[in-house]
């Protein structure tokens, strides 16, 4: 994309500038209604509660899903959490795996996730960082179908 051209007249010298405009193609064409983005799980007790709930493993990740209780004060939206153990690798490798999981969850959970549920995505040592991105998305969709089908 090229930046906008400056005006040929003297309006730039006088201090009046036209604003630069950037246009990005988004997925608003495929999803006409904006979907709320999931919240992030930050408390240890929520991770432990998800660990006791339903789980489904795939080649790229392990997904834990838990339906929250009606009296839970956090609301009724979707929440997500991410973790990687030291088996995945050093800090750089773990952060790369978590970044990939975050992006997959950002794209898939608003469509295939259910409100009132917590999801924890756990990175795998050989699968998360090296797996093709489309396969990671399909892994998450498969895991969500299995968790909700039980």
């Amino acid at each position: 994309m090229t930046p906008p051209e400056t005006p040929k007249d003297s309006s730039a010298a006088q201090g009046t500038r036209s604003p630069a405009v950037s246009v990005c193609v988004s997925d608003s064409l495929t999803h006409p209604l904006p979907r709320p983005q999931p919240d992030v799980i930050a408390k240890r007790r929520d991770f432990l509660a998800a660990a006791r709930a339903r789980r489904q493993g795939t080649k790229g990740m392990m997904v834990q899903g838990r339906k929250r209780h009606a009296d839970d004060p956090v609301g009724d939206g979707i929440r997500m959490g991410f973790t990687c153990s030291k088996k995945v690798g050093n800090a750089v490798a773990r952060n790369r795996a978590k970044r990939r999981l975050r992006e997959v969850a950002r794209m898939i959970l608003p469509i295939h996730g259910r409100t009132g549920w917590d999801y924890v995505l756990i990175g795998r040592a050989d699968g998360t960082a090296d797996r093709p991105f489309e396969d990671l998305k399909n892994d998450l969709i498969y895991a969500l179908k299995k968790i909700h089908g039980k």
Side-chain angles (χ1 to χ4, degrees), residues 41-129:
I41 298 173
K43 305 260 185 199
R44 184 172 190 269
R45 68 173 178 254
D46 294 329
F47 279 95
L48 293 176
R52 291 187 302 269
R54 300 174 184 174
R55 66 179 58 119
Q56 179 64 46
T58 63
K59 290 182 181 179
M61 69 189 81
M62 170 73 77
V63 180
Q64 298 170 339
R66 158 182 104 92
K67 182 164 177 50
R68 290 192 303 273
H69 299 294
D71 59 347
D72 212 348
V74 294
D76 62 348
I78 298 171
R79 293 195 314 167
M80 60 183 176
F82 308 94
T83 185
C84 288
S85 70
K86 288 190 177 182
K87 291 179 185 178
V88 173
N90 61 7
V92 175
R94 291 193 305 270
N95 286 332
R96 180 171 189 262
K98 285 191 281 188
R99 278 195 311 270
R100 295 189 83 206
L101 290 176
R102 272 189 216 103
E103 184 61 20
V104 166
R106 185 192 67 81
M107 295 173 79
I108 300 299
L109 282 181
I111 299 166
H112 295 281
R114 293 187 181 171
T115 57
W117 280 68
D118 290 345
Y119 301 101
V120 175
L121 280 65
I122 304 170
R124 289 198 181 264
D126 296 328
T128 306

